[in-house]
Amino acid sequence: MIRFNGIMNEVATFEADSPVEAGVPVALSGNGKVAAAEASALFCGVAVNHSRGLQGVQLRGYAELTYSGTAAPAVGYNLLAADGSGGVKVVEEAGRQILAVNVDTAKKIVGVIL
């Protein structure tokens, strides 16, 4: 089985406006603060954990994200933005270019290298 976990993983700690569930894209909401990314936002990373007002955010490495929208991400580079529902969506402009290494269209999950 091919695995991508552990590739260049980088996690940073930010203040959190409110707890964000693991696996949800986050965006900066202030100096050193993050919140769940709103629809069409450029997300800076993916929530990992939350404790006592602090949010662990994965900034680099392999992550699996849910996706929505009519277009599924393709294997290769995609422009992605937050979908506002805890996942990402493919956009035509104003997105973050991210490498998708696997796409599960049945489960609507995309594996990406941030």
Side-chain angles (χ1 to χ4, degrees), residues 96-109:
R96 182 174 172 191
Q97 190 168 25
I98 296 180
L99 177 62
V101 294
N102 56 51
V103 179
D104 184 334
T105 55
K107 294 180 181 177
K108 295 197 104 172
I109 295 174

Side-chain angles (χ1 to χ4, degrees), residues 11-110:
V11 175
T13 303
F14 292 84
E15 286 185 61
D17 290 332
S18 60
V20 180
E21 185 179 328
V24 171
V26 298
L28 292 171
S29 60
N31 291 330
K33 295 179 90 174
V34 293
E38 296 179 2
S40 299
L42 288 177
F43 58 99
C44 65
V46 179
V48 176
N49 55 25
H50 183 272
S51 178
R52 297 178 284 163
L54 301 175
Q55 186 74 52
V57 177
Q58 182 181 359
L59 300 173
R60 290 182 52 193
Y62 177 78
E64 290 186 343
L65 303 165
T66 59
Y67 69 86
S68 63
T70 56
V75 172
Y77 283 95
N78 296 265
L79 281 180
L80 300 178
D83 68 4
S85 299
V88 295
K89 63 183 178 181
V90 175
V91 294
E92 292 185 25
E93 55 186 50
R96 182 174 172 191
Q97 190 168 25
I98 296 180
L99 177 62
V101 294
N102 56 51
V103 179
D104 184 334
T105 55
K107 294 180 181 177
K108 295 197 104 172
I109 295 174
V110 58

